[in-house]
Amino acid sequence: MSSVEPGDWFQSKGNPAAFLEVLAVWTESGEEQVKVRVGKQERTCSKRYLLNTWARLEDEA
């Protein structure tokens, strides 16, 4: 599975106008969890869910 780290940005696969920032990554009960910020809201989801529904924004440098 791909590496996800704090500071990574993702774009929604279903709504290209939606973006999120990864705030934290940890393992809980054997499953990787991520805390993300979408707009002004913070949420927690599994890394699997994040990678299935969001696409990583690549650096344009």
Side-chain angles (χ1 to χ4, degrees):
M1 203 176 286
S2 296
S3 172
V4 174
E5 300 193 17
D8 288 351
W9 283 86
F10 287 79
Q11 182 177 30
S12 173
K13 292 179 181 179
N15 178 3
F19 298 88
L20 67 74
E21 177 186 11
V22 176
L23 302 176
V25 181
W26 70 95
T27 301
E28 185 175 297
S29 300
E31 184 174 26
E32 288 187 274
Q33 301 291 314
V34 291
K35 183 173 187 176
V36 299
R37 180 175 24 241
V38 181
K40 295 181 179 181
Q41 295 183 355
E42 293 183 4
R43 298 182 179 155
T44 300
C45 66
S46 70
K47 179 179 167 185
R48 181 182 315 268
Y49 173 82
L50 175 72
L51 295 175
N52 284 335
T53 57
W54 295 80
R56 185 186 312 271
L57 287 178
E58 300 298 331
D59 291 334
E60 297 182 18

